[in-house]
């Protein structure tokens, strides 16, 4: 019945019971009306049928209740909390209170006062408050075997695997681990689909979704569940990639409107370009601030050979030829820009690449027949780019596949998914190769890598050229998705991604050097502005605040590799397993220089 290391002095059993009871009360309140009028989005007037923000409170309450029950050592639930049981409960209770409190505040603000709140809102609010206060009375850490009370989540997870069978979950068979991976991607698809399906005008529900998702993800991380699933995905890498591809393929079949499928297609374009930048920044350690220009090179090349009425070239290549042409031209530009500049390092290289991005935008703006040759139609760009026709399928038309209807954006989403799969394959194979180990060695210490026999300039140029080629591939699809290409689409910073600043932020936010990190970062940075359009005027300001908070609380990114965790948390008691040969700097230098 200890009460040590608690924010509120309560016996641990009492605190846990009160937390579970408060979560149950908050859960029950979601089945009662929260307001009397349907003017508030989500229709919160129905009894027995949660809707809108009620669903988010219900989700948070259920998770809080489940993790509170984990503290009782119930058989079958111990697998969820290898890193600790109390911190996740506190975070989930806070998330439930935050979502419920925000909903009550939004109802009061929009409808003209707290008098518009029905009993259900008060029941859920009081229940969430009780759960939060009781959760603050839980001890900081559950008593762990072998005196591990101060250990990190990863260390507790590792030790839980080595603990006696009476205190740990049983080792799962391979098919069970694969099922967990599949279920994890299915859950991720459901969460992403739920967020993207929230109507654009219903910003209140989307903000509540962000609050719930942020607290839930942090809680699962503190519980060690994310580390456990990451260990399974690392163990079954091919299965993981297949599951990710299947989940992404299923997304357009869950969409009834073209608007949300278009958001998905643009997220894939943004994420694919960010993954290409990850080769340059994450693997080779080269700060490129003009990377969006390579996306523009691919897009303009595809537009010029697409047969568009205002194309100065006047030719019409088949798509496969346009893709190869766009990638080849981007490759050439990458080599031409990289060859004279990659002998620079650090800030000097960043300044030069920033200049290249601006030079590209100004040049295509001046190739209008007046300031220069008539090639890009200047600021008007190249409009009316025709839709693709591949294998007899017109991408500009909707197609019925059984009970599903694929809209035009859904067609391009599936095409972009193929391009993304190619980029992922290239990134994975290059990162695990001898060249990838050399890039990591250069990133960590270029002087030491050169001393070991690595030709740093040649390998940096190769990374620069490969990143440019991957961006050019995505650009060829982007030109057809947007119908037009204009110079304003390819700026260093702007309110609409992709641009160089947002691409770099997606890599940093998601996690440099990782495969899934840029996808997570790109999805967040594109989806949030698309849903919260009322924040357009303050977008860059809020974006800067988010980056500051990220650098303070999780500098390694949302999806970090083990090396970044060690670099940014070197004083924490983390017991990290020995890194793979390809991730070890010393081994990478030796092998790359051999």
């Amino acid at each position: 019945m200890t009460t040590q290391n608690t924010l509120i002095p309560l016996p641990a059993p009492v605190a846990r019971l009160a937390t579970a009871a408060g979560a149950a009360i908050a859960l029950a309140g979601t089945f009662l009306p929260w307001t009397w009028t349907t003017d508030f989005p989500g229709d919160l007037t129905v009894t027995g049928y949660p809707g809108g923000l009620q669903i988010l409170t219900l989700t948070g309450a259920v998770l809080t209740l489940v993790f509170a029950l984990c503290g009782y050592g119930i058989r079958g639930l111990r697998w969820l909390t290898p890193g600790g049981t109390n911190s996740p409960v506190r975070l989930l209770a806070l998330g439930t209170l935050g979502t419920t409190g925000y909903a009550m505040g939004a109802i009061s603000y929009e409808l003209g006062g707290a008098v518009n709140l029905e009993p259900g809102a008060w029941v859920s609010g009081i229940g969430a408050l009780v759960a939060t206060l009781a959760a603050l009375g839980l001890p900081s850490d559950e008593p762990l075997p072998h005196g591990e009370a101060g250990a990190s989540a990863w260390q507790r997870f590792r030790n839980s695997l080595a603990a006696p069978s009476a205190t740990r979950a049983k080792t799962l068979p391979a098919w069970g681990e694969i099922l967990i991976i599949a279920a994890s991607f299915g859950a991720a698809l459901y969460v992403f689909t739920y967020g993207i399906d929230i109507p654009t005008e219903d910003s209140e529900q989307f903000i509540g979704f962000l609050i719930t998702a942020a607290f839930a993800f942090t809680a699962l991380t503190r519980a060690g569940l994310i580390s456990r699933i990451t260990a399974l995905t690392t163990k079954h890498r091919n299965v993981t990639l297949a599951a990710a591809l299947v989940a992404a393929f299923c997304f357009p079949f869950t969409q009834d409107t073209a608007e949300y499928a278009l958001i998905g297609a643009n997220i894939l374009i943004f994420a694919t370009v960010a993954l290409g930048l990850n080769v340059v920044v994450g693997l080779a350690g080269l700060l490129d601030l003009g990377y969006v220009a390579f996306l523009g090179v691919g897009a303009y090349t595809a537009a010029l050979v697409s047969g568009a009425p205002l194309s100065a070239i006047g030719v019409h290549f088949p798509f496969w030829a346009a893709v190869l042409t766009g990638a080849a031209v981007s490759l050439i530009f990458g080599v031409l820009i990289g060859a004279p500049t990659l002998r620079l390092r650090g800030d000097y290289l960043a300044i030069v690449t920033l200049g290249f991005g601006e030079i590209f935008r100004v040049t295509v703006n001046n190739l209008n027949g007046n300031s220069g040759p008539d090639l890009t139609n200047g600021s008007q760009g190249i409009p009316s780019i025709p839709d693709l026709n591949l294998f007899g399928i017109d991408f500009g038309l909707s197609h019925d596949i059984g009970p599903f209807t694929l809209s035009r954006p859904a067609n391009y989403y599936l095409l972009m998914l193929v391009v993304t799969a190619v980029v992922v394959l290239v990134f994975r194979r290059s990162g695990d190769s001898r060249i990838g180990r050399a890039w990591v060695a250069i990133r960590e210490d270029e002087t030491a890598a050169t001393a070991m026999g690595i030709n740093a300039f040649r390998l940096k140029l190769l990374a620069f050229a490969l990143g440019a080629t991957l961006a050019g591939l995505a650009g060829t699809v982007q030109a057809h998705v947007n119908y037009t290409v204009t110079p304003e689409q390819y700026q260093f910073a702007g309110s609409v991604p992709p641009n160089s600043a947002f691409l770099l932020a997606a890599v940093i936010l998601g996690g440099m050097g990782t495969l899934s990190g840029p996808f997570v970062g790109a999805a967040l940075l594109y989806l949030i502005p698309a849903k919260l359009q009322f924040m357009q005027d303050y977008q860059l300001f809020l974006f800067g605040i988010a980056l500051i908070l990220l650098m303070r609380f999780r500098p390694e990114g949302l999806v970090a590799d083990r090396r970044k965790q060690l670099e940014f948390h070197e004083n924490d008691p983390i017991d990290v397993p020995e890194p793979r040969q390809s991730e070890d700097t010393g081994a990478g230098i030796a092998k790359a220089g051999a």
Side-chain angles (χ1 to χ4, degrees):
M1 295 202 178
T2 180
T3 61
Q4 289 91 355
N5 298 323
T6 62
L7 296 176
I8 295 180
L10 282 176
V14 175
R16 192 174 306 281
L17 180 61
T19 301
I25 293 173
L27 173 64
T30 61
F31 291 90
L32 300 174
W34 280 19
T35 186
W36 59 274
T37 175
T38 57
D39 290 344
F40 190 82
D43 192 6
L44 309 183
T45 65
V46 182
T47 300
Y49 189 82
L53 286 165
Q54 290 174 318
I55 297 177
L56 299 173
T57 294
L58 184 148
T59 302
V62 169
L63 290 174
T64 304
L65 184 59
V66 169
F67 277 84
L69 294 177
C70 288
Y72 291 104
I74 297 176
R75 187 178 182 86
L77 294 181
R78 288 174 294 183
W79 197 90
L80 298 175
T81 55
T85 57
N86 293 330
S87 293
V89 174
R90 282 194 291 268
L91 287 167
L92 290 170
L94 283 170
T96 305
L97 179 62
T99 303
T100 307
Y102 168 76
M104 296 174 68
I107 292 173
S108 301
Y109 176 77
E110 293 195 11
L111 300 182
V115 69
N116 294 282
L117 294 171
E118 290 292 301
W122 293 107
V123 171
S124 290
I126 293 173
L129 180 61
V130 169
T132 301
L133 294 176
L136 295 177
L138 293 172
S140 298
D141 294 294
E142 279 291 295
L144 295 169
H146 312 302
E148 301 165 0
S152 65
W154 179 260
Q155 186 175 1
R156 291 195 296 268
F157 167 56
R158 291 291 308 283
N159 291 334
S160 70
L161 296 181
S165 59
T167 61
R168 66 179 177 89
K170 293 182 179 179
T171 303
L172 296 174
W175 61 267
E177 295 176 343
I178 293 174
L179 285 179
I180 290 176
I181 292 173
S184 300
F185 277 99
L189 174 63
Y190 177 80
V191 172
F192 178 76
T193 302
Y194 181 87
I196 207 173
D197 283 346
I198 295 175
T200 304
E201 62 274 9
D202 191 359
S203 58
E204 297 86 357
Q205 185 176 349
F206 188 76
I207 293 176
F209 168 77
L210 291 179
I211 295 173
T212 302
F215 276 96
F217 176 79
T218 308
L220 295 179
T221 302
R222 289 289 185 89
L225 187 59
I226 300 297
S227 297
R228 174 161 277 178
I229 294 176
T230 301
L232 295 181
T233 57
T234 303
K235 180 179 179 181
H236 304 280
R237 298 183 67 185
N238 292 330
V239 173
T240 300
L241 289 176
L245 185 61
V246 170
F249 177 80
C250 292
F251 168 74
F253 295 96
T254 66
Q255 302 304 303
D256 297 327
T257 60
E259 175 188 359
Y260 304 142
L262 180 60
I263 292 177
N266 283 321
I267 287 176
L268 267 189
I269 293 173
F270 189 10
T272 302
V273 180
L275 189 60
L277 179 61
N278 202 20
V279 174
V280 180
V281 176
L283 294 182
L286 306 174
L287 183 56
D288 189 348
L289 298 181
Y291 186 76
V292 74
F294 297 119
L295 175 68
V297 170
Y300 265 98
T301 302
L304 289 172
V305 300
S306 65
L310 294 183
S311 170
I313 296 180
V315 298
H316 189 186
F317 285 6
F319 180 66
W320 64 267
V323 167
L324 295 178
T325 304
V329 174
S330 298
L331 170 64
I332 294 172
F333 269 83
V335 173
L336 291 178
I337 298 302
T341 61
L342 287 178
R343 298 188 187 279
L344 301 174
R345 296 188 187 182
D347 298 340
Y348 302 101
L349 176 62
I351 292 172
V352 171
T353 55
L354 175 62
F356 163 66
E358 291 302 302
I359 288 172
F360 168 79
R361 184 177 61 84
V362 172
T363 300
V364 296
N365 194 41
N366 289 334
L367 295 179
N368 55 8
N370 295 322
S371 302
D374 186 9
L375 183 63
T376 64
N377 201 27
S379 60
Q380 301 300 317
I382 304 176
S384 304
I385 299 174
D387 285 305
L388 296 174
N389 193 310
L390 297 178
F391 309 108
I393 300 175
D394 189 344
F395 278 56
L397 302 176
S398 298
H399 301 281
D400 294 329
I401 301 179
F404 304 101
T405 299
L406 293 179
S407 60
R408 175 186 180 273
N411 298 330
Y412 281 105
Y413 173 90
L414 293 177
L415 175 62
M416 193 62 218
L417 185 60
V418 176
V419 176
T420 302
V422 173
V423 174
V424 168
L425 179 63
V426 172
F427 179 87
R428 181 185 173 190
R429 298 294 295 177
S430 60
D432 291 340
S433 67
R434 174 183 173 184
I435 293 176
R437 292 192 294 270
W439 284 337
V440 173
I442 294 172
R443 181 192 70 193
E444 297 300 321
D445 193 329
E446 183 176 342
T447 303
T450 304
M452 293 299 294
I454 294 178
N455 189 328
F457 172 76
R458 185 184 66 183
L459 288 172
K460 288 195 296 184
L461 183 59
L462 179 60
F464 211 73
L466 179 60
T469 303
L470 298 181
L473 284 175
T476 58
V477 180
Q478 187 204 35
H480 292 276
V481 172
N482 294 340
Y483 282 124
T484 183
V485 291
T486 59
E488 287 71 23
Q489 295 175 346
Y490 309 105
Q491 306 179 54
F492 168 71
S495 59
V496 180
N499 51 65
S500 292
F502 273 71
L503 287 170
L504 184 60
V507 175
I508 297 174
L509 173 65
M512 291 191 297
T514 62
L515 179 59
S516 57
F519 287 92
V520 175
L524 290 176
L525 290 180
Y526 193 95
L527 183 60
I528 293 176
K531 291 296 183 181
L532 303 180
Q533 295 183 358
F534 70 93
M535 298 169 61
Q536 287 288 340
D537 294 339
Y538 309 99
Q539 181 175 324
L540 292 178
F541 171 73
L542 296 174
F543 172 63
I545 293 177
L547 281 182
I548 292 173
L549 293 176
L550 178 71
M551 294 298 102
R552 171 60 182 85
F553 295 104
R554 196 173 176 85
E556 69 272 25
L558 296 177
V559 183
D561 60 14
R562 291 189 292 270
R563 176 179 298 282
K564 287 293 185 294
Q565 288 177 325
L566 285 175
E567 289 178 356
F568 291 107
H569 302 282
E570 58 183 3
N571 296 324
D572 294 347
I574 298 178
D575 178 22
V576 180
E578 289 297 324
R580 295 186 298 119
Q581 192 82 351
S582 60
E583 294 180 348
D584 185 83
T585 306
I589 295 176
K591 282 198 170 188

